Amino acid sequence: MKTTAETRQAFLDFFAAKGHEVVASSSLVPADDPTLLFTNAGMNQFKDVFLGAEKRDNPRAASSQKCVRAGGKHNDLDQVGYTARHHTFFEMLGNFSFGDYFKMEAIEYAWELLTVDYGLDKDKLWVTVYETDDEAFDIWTNDIGLADERVIRIGDKPGKARFESDNFWAMGDTGPCGPCSEIFYDHGPKYEGGLPGTEDEDGGRYVEIWNLVFMQFDRSADGTLQPLPKPCVDTGMGLERLSAVLQGVHSNYDTDLFQALIQKAAELTGADDKRSNSLNVIADHIRACAFLIADGILPSNEGRGYVLRRIIRRAIRHGFKLGQKNPFFAGMTSALVEQMGAAYPALAKQEAHIAATLEAEERRFAKTLDKGMGLLQAVMGSTSAEGGKIDGKTAFTLYDTYGFPLDLTEDIARENGLGVDFEGFETEMEKQRERGRTAGQFQHKDQISAEAVKTLPATRFIGYETLSTDDAVVAGILVDGQLADQLEENESAVLILDKTPFYAESGGQVGDTGVITTVDGRFIVEDTIKLGGTFFAHIGQVVQGTIKPGQQVSARVDAERRQSVVIHHSATHL
């Protein structure tokens, strides 16, 4: 049995022997391609070559490309861990011809590698071609020797435009495009599912393992196709699917690489059931998280960083579900490096950085996870199971106060037979945006202009969970209601942070006092007030150094005073 690492190396060695240059995987952050959130295919790094904007010395290349599909149109995060082949991170094996060989060689290479080097049973392989691609059909039947009935012609999708087919690939509405030929493996009659092109093709019996794309046309704006002067080949084969086939298992999670990660996840969480979907989730997610961090992405509240944060927090929640309420996820890093560090040296080199980043994020989420889960459990307990939904206000509170990404709440609701009121969530989100837009109408003694807060986020209050934080950010500095670029020593001002543990004056309880510090600055908070129900304004003075917008700060409430105030406030009510 070939291990996953041996399968990867055998692919690269095979094509190196066929004159291909073995090219290292590119970063998960696409270079100079704003259309992509993450690298999601082997051809991404060769896009300019296919478009003719870049030339290569060797017209043949092969690679094992790390890919992430999570977020945007590829967002099927909810299925990861629950099916045999859904992943956030995967490796795409590919061989490429830039105007060199074409259909004949591409098909011959694929057949030789699968049936000779990998030793797959020819009778378990089926092939599809585009319905009008007689050239590819003839190569498969006449040159390779497959029976006509084992080569299935696939046409355009019913009711869709011309060439909108599983067997016709296009880079976009215009530009390089062409038919493709897919190779399927038959896992046997014990699994449900029909052949490609049939009504039950989505079952688990026949699984696509390799896609051979033949770029032979240039599509113009009016939809006409013109032959390319130098046709190209772009192929892609998922390493995880191939490894499952070669190791005689149906699920990718049963392969050697995933089993090693699942074993480690079980050790760290104390899980006894090694078939738990939650262990699959953790094993999958450590790969995406570690490789994203190694490529320079850090958890944040926007863009790629927020996708990373969502994946990390989903893994943490599944550990919580297994009964592990202490930090564990960073401990998965060493097992991943052991499995993949040889193929990706940068992973091993950055092991300490990856583990530290994961641990920091885990500790951050741990502060609110337990209380957030308590709120969610209470709401679910009072929600009808039949067509019931988590209300939008609760979903927004979980997102805004407890750090639950919306899809995490959806994930938990689904496990309990419930949905989420997405419209209600968006309504609450819009209310928050509107509060920011109407800042000019504030009636508080400390006025703030509407212009000053157009770019400021609403403050997230974390003071019920903690009285201090080390990773808040200065969202804005206000002097006389206007935004300022910097605060100098002895200057008085209002600081607005992206999140704060400082309680703002409300309902008769006075606001918190305390200190906010940067690397070289110290700001004494004399009072905290709420502006328009949206912004927590820390009123005070710089007593040391300088403070600028965008700086990371430590914010610490005067805990003794808070406790005294709470006691006094409660006594007043009594």
Side-chain angles (χ1 to χ4, degrees):
M1 180 191 82
K2 283 187 182 295
T3 64
T4 300
E6 290 169 342
T7 298
R8 181 196 301 112
Q9 193 58 50
F11 178 91
L12 298 175
D13 289 347
F14 175 87
F15 282 103
K18 302 293 185 183
H20 292 63
E21 177 187 356
V22 175
V23 179
S25 171
S26 63
S27 170
L28 285 170
V29 181
D32 303 321
D33 190 346
T35 65
L36 280 179
L37 188 64
F38 299 114
T39 299
N40 59 21
M43 63 80 60
N44 290 161
Q45 68 169 309
F46 303 116
K47 186 174 180 179
D48 286 344
V49 182
F50 286 123
L51 291 172
E54 180 183 322
K55 302 294 183 184
R56 294 179 57 85
D57 293 335
N58 189 336
R60 301 182 175 201
S63 68
S64 180
Q65 174 66 49
K66 53 192 179 184
C67 301
V68 164
R69 289 184 181 173
K73 68 177 183 179
H74 296 298
N75 186 24
D76 49 12
L77 191 60
D78 60 299
Q79 298 183 61
V80 174
Y82 291 86
T83 69
R85 281 169 284 280
H86 275 96
H87 299 293
T88 54
F89 173 95
F90 63 97
E91 292 180 79
M92 186 68 81
L93 304 173
N95 59 290
F96 309 90
S97 167
F98 311 110
D100 186 30
Y101 62 82
F102 200 45
K103 294 182 185 180
M104 176 67 80
E105 294 89 339
I107 290 172
E108 288 178 340
Y109 289 158
W111 192 251
E112 180 183 349
L113 177 59
L114 291 177
T115 62
V116 178
D117 290 59
Y118 287 143
L120 291 182
D121 184 350
K122 298 177 182 179
D123 292 335
K124 288 186 173 292
L125 298 175
W126 293 72
V127 172
T128 62
V129 297
Y130 186 60
E131 62 179 349
T132 60
D133 192 358
D134 295 333
E135 181 183 3
F137 184 92
D138 289 343
I139 294 171
W140 281 115
T141 55
N142 297 334
D143 297 279
I144 300 301
L146 283 179
D148 287 9
E149 60 269 20
R150 296 183 74 84
V151 182
I152 303 167
R153 294 180 183 265
I154 302 292
D156 300 327
K157 295 177 180 178
K160 298 295 183 178
R162 181 75 170 124
F163 303 121
E164 191 168 337
S165 165
D166 288 336
N167 280 73
F168 196 93
W169 183 91
M171 191 174 290
D173 292 336
T174 61
C177 60
C180 55
S181 183
E182 297 179 326
I183 303 173
F184 288 76
Y185 181 82
D186 178 6
H187 278 281
K190 65 179 179 179
Y191 298 103
E192 295 182 355
L195 286 165
T198 62
E199 290 185 359
D200 54 349
E201 65 179 0
D202 291 331
R205 176 172 177 176
Y206 299 93
V207 175
E208 177 204 337
I209 57 174
W210 207 343
N211 187 13
L212 315 178
V213 177
F214 308 123
M215 295 188 204
Q216 64 183 103
F217 301 112
D218 181 17
R219 181 158 57 185
S220 61
D222 64 5
T224 58
L225 304 182
Q226 296 296 328
L228 287 170
K230 289 188 175 182
C232 300
V233 172
D234 158 27
T235 84
M237 176 161 57
L239 175 61
E240 294 78 10
R241 292 188 178 199
L242 177 62
S243 295
V245 168
L246 294 179
Q247 294 177 26
V249 295
H250 186 250
S251 170
N252 295 353
Y253 292 99
D254 288 330
T255 60
D256 65 308
L257 189 155
F258 274 104
Q259 282 298 297
L261 296 176
I262 287 170
Q263 178 62 38
K264 184 65 175 180
E267 292 174 10
L268 292 170
T269 60
D272 294 323
D273 179 10
K274 301 297 174 56
R275 308 301 295 179
S276 166
N277 290 329
S278 290
L279 292 179
N280 290 349
V281 170
I282 295 167
D284 171 273
H285 287 12
I286 186 58
R287 301 210 306 163
C289 295
F291 276 98
L292 285 170
I293 294 169
D295 278 348
I297 305 297
L298 293 175
S300 71
N301 284 331
E302 58 184 21
R304 297 183 177 103
Y306 190 58
V307 175
L308 172 59
R309 172 161 285 168
R310 287 166 47 210
I311 298 172
I312 294 174
R313 294 191 173 190
R314 186 171 188 257
I316 295 169
R317 203 283 298 189
H318 276 275
F320 188 93
K321 184 180 178 183
L322 292 170
Q324 179 54 276
K325 297 187 178 181
N326 296 316
F328 75 94
F329 193 47
M332 293 290 299
T333 310
S334 59
L336 178 65
V337 170
E338 184 177 342
Q339 291 296 315
M340 301 186 70
Y344 297 96
L347 191 70
K349 185 177 180 180
Q350 298 197 57
E351 180 177 354
H353 167 61
I354 294 166
T357 301
L358 292 175
E359 183 174 0
E361 179 69 8
E362 187 163 16
R363 291 191 181 281
R364 185 178 296 118
F365 189 39
K367 295 175 182 178
T368 58
L369 175 60
D370 199 5
K371 291 186 178 181
M373 285 299 300
L375 170 62
L376 188 52
Q377 291 290 353
V379 172
M380 290 192 298
S382 61
T383 302
S384 170
E386 187 175 348
K389 291 184 178 182
I390 304 299
D391 65 277
K393 191 169 185 178
T394 297
F396 183 76
T397 299
L398 288 166
Y399 165 83
D400 191 49
T401 304
Y402 298 99
F404 279 47
L406 181 59
D407 51 25
L408 179 57
T409 299
E410 182 188 8
D411 219 14
I412 299 168
R414 185 185 304 106
E415 291 173 5
N416 290 271
L418 301 171
V420 174
D421 178 9
F422 295 110
E423 289 186 7
F425 176 88
E426 284 302 321
T427 297
E428 294 299 319
M429 180 70 84
E430 184 56 34
K431 285 180 182 178
Q432 187 185 72
R433 297 189 189 106
E434 184 62 28
R435 286 193 292 267
R437 287 193 289 266
T438 58
Q441 301 171 11
F442 295 165
Q443 297 301 311
H444 200 280
K445 62 181 180 180
D446 289 275
Q447 291 294 318
I448 178 171
S449 68
E451 291 76 13
V453 296
K454 283 180 179 177
T455 59
L456 298 183
T459 310
R460 182 160 68 89
F461 178 59
I462 58 174
Y464 289 141
E465 293 75 45
T466 181
L467 295 181
S468 66
T469 179
D470 291 320
D471 62 349
V473 174
V474 178
I477 298 172
L478 299 172
V479 177
D480 296 328
Q482 301 298 324
L483 287 173
D485 295 328
Q486 183 170 307
L487 267 187
E488 302 287 349
E489 192 166 318
N490 296 322
E491 283 190 84
S492 296
V494 171
L495 290 190
I496 294 180
L497 309 181
D498 65 333
K499 62 181 178 181
T500 183
F502 285 74
Y503 182 88
E505 179 181 345
S506 178
Q509 182 172 325
V510 298
D512 280 333
T513 61
V515 62
I516 295 173
T517 58
T518 65
V519 174
D520 62 353
R522 185 175 180 85
F523 182 90
I524 299 300
V525 180
E526 300 165 354
D527 192 9
T528 308
I529 62 175
K530 193 180 290 186
L531 299 179
T534 300
F535 304 99
F536 283 58
H538 308 82
I539 302 171
Q541 184 180 46
V542 179
V543 296
Q544 177 184 319
T546 61
I547 294 180
K548 300 178 181 179
Q551 284 185 312
Q552 184 166 318
V553 299
S554 295
R556 283 173 168 70
V557 172
D558 184 335
E560 187 175 334
R561 179 179 178 276
R562 161 81 79 86
Q563 184 62 22
S564 175
V565 167
V566 169
I567 292 173
H568 175 74
H569 183 64
S570 299
T572 300
H573 278 289
L574 290 172

